[in-house]
Amino acid sequence: MRIDELIEKKQTISFEVFPPKPEADADLEGIRRTLRDLRGANPDFVSVTYGAGGNNRPRAIDIADMVISLGMVPLSHLTAIGYAKEEVAGVVAALTDTGVENILALRGDKPTDAGRGADCWKDFRKASELAGFVSQCGDFCIGGAAYPEGHQESSSPEADIEFMKEKLKKGVSFFITQLFFDNPSFTRFADRCRAAGVKAPIIAGIMPVLKARQIRRIVEISGCNVPEALGSLLDRYIDDDRSMREAGIEYAAEQISYLWSRGVSGIHIYTMNKSEEVLEILRRCNLRRGDDAI
Ligand code: FAD
């Protein structure tokens, strides 16, 4: 099933999972359990991340296969950095053989280790170039990343939107955003996109805050805005994971309920491979749609 066809019909609910490290989940039984649990919410699709440089490539393909065998629709992430065209064509062919119809075309983060910055490029410098190449490889539904609060390297919010238009020209038909905690940032961004002529669906990326220290790190890396209400929760529960988990579930549920009621195209939850918390969030928003919905 193609995501562009799904989004035309309804607001979507989707999840992101990542391939666990082999030492943590050698036979992929852990991720299989997580996916089985997440299936309980009847998601419209499940995205599978791809390590920049492709170091988890075989596992990413195996997990896309698992998503299909569990009766769900996969969206396979693909990164551009460090790849030659033939390598991408090989991965795309493997995904096609697996039955994947949806690809999220990304640039990937530049390697941070000293000395590798200059030689990290091969045939693609931007996600839009990868999207253009993937669309030549076959009839895929292609998504792209968007940044409500700006990408760390971007020169201006206007430039970011111009690059979104470039992605659309190269075959992207929907966007998923970087995580954000500040709903007004997202709605302002969506309004600016519409005003600039970007009509494609923009799916909101939501990451539940389950541990204060972990989120502090993510905020440092992504540079996303932390509203005062969330900031005080992070301070209060910095050493209290149990209370942070409860408050974080509630915060994400409120964020999602607000966006959903205002007609967002879709909600994409960065699950961090946690199913219990994600299902609880959806239950609190009355968005749990599976057979076992409460
Ligand atoms: P691009 O769209 O290429 O943008 C990169 C930078 O270049 C931006 O600053 C942009 O403004 C600028 N730019 C774009 N086009 C041009 C142009 N023509 N001229 C000049 N400047 C330009 N990373 C992974 O490694 N694996 C994953 O699985 C993964 N999944 C992700 C999923 C989502 C939903 C999101 C939002 C991000 C994900 N990332 C992932 C992170 C992503 O790879 C990084 O944020 C990366 O730094 C940028 O990727 P991009 O696809 O947005 O790149």
Side-chain angles (χ1 to χ4, degrees), residues 120-287:
C120 67
W121 310 104
K122 280 194 186 163
D123 285 346
F124 308 99
R125 297 195 77 88
K126 301 290 170 215
S128 49
E129 294 170 10
L130 178 67
F133 183 72
V134 170
S135 62
Q136 285 166 17
C137 292
D139 184 21
F140 294 100
C141 166
I142 305 173
Y147 300 84
E149 296 172 325
H151 183 262
Q152 305 95 306
E153 295 162 43
S154 105
S155 53
S156 71
E158 293 74 27
D160 265 356
I161 294 180
E162 286 310 307
F163 301 143
M164 287 172 74
K165 288 185 186 170
E166 206 169 291
K167 290 185 192 187
L168 292 171
K169 279 191 210 140
K170 298 286 184 166
V172 162
S173 57
F174 69 97
F175 293 98
I176 302 182
T177 74
Q178 177 65 288
L179 65 98
F180 62 90
F181 300 114
D182 182 35
N183 280 344
S185 307
F186 174 84
T187 46
R188 280 195 301 271
F189 170 70
D191 288 347
R192 278 192 285 113
C193 288
R194 301 293 173 244
V198 174
K199 307 286 183 222
I202 302 174
I203 295 175
I206 301 294
M207 178 175 279
V209 177
L210 301 176
K211 285 191 179 167
R213 283 185 200 283
Q214 183 187 27
I215 291 300
R216 284 262 178 248
R217 267 201 308 281
I218 289 173
V219 166
E220 271 167 36
I221 298 165
S222 70
C224 67
N225 181 30
V226 177
E228 219 176 297
L230 178 61
S232 58
L233 291 174
L234 294 176
D235 290 341
R236 193 176 331 150
Y237 299 134
I238 193 80
D239 292 317
D240 180 355
D241 288 351
R242 186 192 290 236
S243 302
M244 186 68 250
R245 177 182 181 276
E246 168 53 30
I249 287 174
E250 192 55 31
Y251 190 90
E254 282 174 17
Q255 235 195 315
I256 293 170
S257 296
Y258 174 95
L259 294 165
W260 193 265
S261 67
R262 275 153 188 80
V264 69
S265 295
I267 296 288
H268 191 62
I269 303 184
Y270 294 105
T271 70
M272 296 172 288
N273 293 359
K274 300 216 177 291
S275 52
E276 200 183 318
E277 290 85 350
V278 169
L279 295 179
E280 176 58 18
I281 289 166
L282 292 177
R283 192 189 64 75
R284 289 190 197 186
C285 312
N286 283 326
L287 287 178

